[in-house]
Amino acid sequence: AIRRPLDPVNLSDFEKHHVPVVAISRKCSLIPGDRCADVSVRIGEIEHVMEGEHYFSFIDFYINKIFTARMHLTYKKLHPAVSIYLNLDGGTLTVIAHCTTHGSWIKEEKLLLF
């Protein structure tokens, strides 16, 4: 099962370590044009550990419920954060991140039209 916070406005300390935080910018430094969205995802308002048996192993991206990309994370070598450039006009971005101890966590964001 994919987990969601009980109250997205008032996260518990446990949820603050697991719920993905999504930031979307319309400017992409590496891609010219106006159809690029720079999407950054950080796991948790409070950075999640990336050690031994307890870490985030991947982050999946879906646009309008269609799988788009997966970013694999290696413990001790990476922080639980990634950025990706998307080519799109709008819709809904869904991010699902997997903690090896506490399961998968979801965050959804509306993407405004360019």
Side-chain angles (χ1 to χ4, degrees):
I2 297 174
R3 300 179 74 165
R4 296 176 186 268
L6 297 176
D7 179 359
V9 176
N10 297 304
L11 299 178
S12 69
D13 284 343
F14 176 72
E15 292 169 334
K16 286 179 182 178
H17 283 88
H18 290 87
V19 176
V21 176
V22 178
I24 301 169
S25 172
R26 299 216 185 287
K27 276 280 199 197
C28 295
S29 61
L30 299 175
I31 306 297
D34 60 354
R35 292 184 41 134
C36 185
D38 181 353
V39 177
S40 296
V41 176
R42 172 188 165 138
I43 303 305
E45 289 179 20
I46 302 169
E47 187 174 355
H48 191 279
V49 298
M50 295 289 283
E51 299 175 347
E53 299 295 319
H54 189 194
Y55 64 99
F56 271 83
S57 59
F58 64 83
I59 300 172
D60 286 344
F61 293 83
Y62 295 80
I63 299 172
N64 298 325
K65 299 184 181 184
I66 298 172
F67 176 77
T68 304
R70 172 174 280 184
M71 305 296 237
H72 291 275
L73 303 173
T74 304
Y75 70 93
K76 292 187 181 180
K77 301 290 184 195
L78 298 171
H79 289 278
V82 299
S83 289
I84 188 170
Y85 289 155
L86 299 178
N87 180 14
L88 48 81
D89 287 325
T92 301
L93 171 68
T94 304
V95 174
I96 299 174
H98 182 74
C99 173
T100 57
T101 303
H102 300 110
S104 296
W105 294 78
I106 190 170
K107 177 74 175 199
E108 293 179 312
E109 294 282 338
K110 293 288 184 195
L111 298 166
L112 301 177
L113 296 175
F114 289 103

